Amino acid sequence: MSVPVDPQSKEDGFEHQDASVKGLVIVGLAIFAVLALSGAGVAGLLWWYHQQPVKPTTALERQVQLPPEPRLEIDPRASGNAVLERARAQLEHYGWVDREAGLAHIPIGRGMTLLAERGWPSRAEPGTGEATGTDQDQARGRTRRE
């Protein structure tokens, strides 16, 4: 559908009839008035809110209650560093896993040296029946102190 075009406008290459300036000014002033009234309304509400007296707090409001677990960490970096230190201490030092059973952990370097010297523990040879208790412990990487 084509719109009828003024022959003079078509010949000159531009529209000779402009938008209504009066209408544009009225719309612009209306927008400005609405913005000004909104700003004044917000300022009035803020002034009224600050004029209201502060209600006295009750004994229940003064009690400090901790939220249920799990709580947010106060210093996550320090907590993470503590976890890393505990892990590093376990990986780099000797210690007991189960003292009654005689089960201990050893540093990684020492464990690799022992593994290179003794070889990888294996299960019982096929055809000999089930593995013995000592073989099972050795297969799990555990050795008992006697």
Side-chain angles (χ1 to χ4, degrees):
M1 174 192 229
S2 67
V3 178
V5 179
D6 179 32
Q8 182 64 33
S9 297
K10 190 172 186 178
E11 186 179 305
D12 291 342
F14 62 91
E15 193 74 39
H16 285 281
Q17 185 180 8
D18 286 332
S20 170
V21 175
K22 182 179 178 182
L24 290 175
V25 168
I26 289 173
V27 168
L29 288 176
I31 290 173
F32 180 75
V34 167
L35 287 174
L37 284 174
S38 298
V42 169
L45 284 173
L46 288 174
W47 173 82
W48 178 76
Y49 178 73
H50 287 294
Q51 297 302 320
Q52 299 298 317
V54 177
K55 294 178 182 175
T57 58
T58 64
L60 182 61
E61 292 174 320
R62 285 190 296 268
Q63 286 180 349
V64 177
Q65 294 179 345
L66 293 175
E69 295 284 342
R71 295 188 188 97
L72 295 176
E73 293 179 310
I74 296 171
D75 187 3
R77 185 177 304 266
S79 299
N81 287 341
V83 168
L84 290 174
E85 274 304 312
R86 285 192 305 270
R88 191 173 294 115
Q90 185 172 8
L91 292 174
E92 296 175 353
H93 298 93
Y94 292 91
W96 288 107
V97 174
D98 186 359
R99 188 180 289 256
E100 289 80 29
L103 187 62
H105 65 83
I106 61 174
I108 290 177
R110 178 67 178 142
M112 290 190 325
T113 304
L114 288 174
L115 188 61
E117 290 173 0
R118 298 179 185 173
W120 193 260
S122 62
R123 296 190 184 262
E125 293 296 320
T128 61
E130 292 190 28
T132 64
T134 309
D135 292 339
Q136 287 176 349
D137 286 340
Q138 186 179 9
R140 289 188 196 107
R142 300 177 180 169
T143 57
R144 229 175 237 277
R145 290 187 180 193
E146 315 245 7

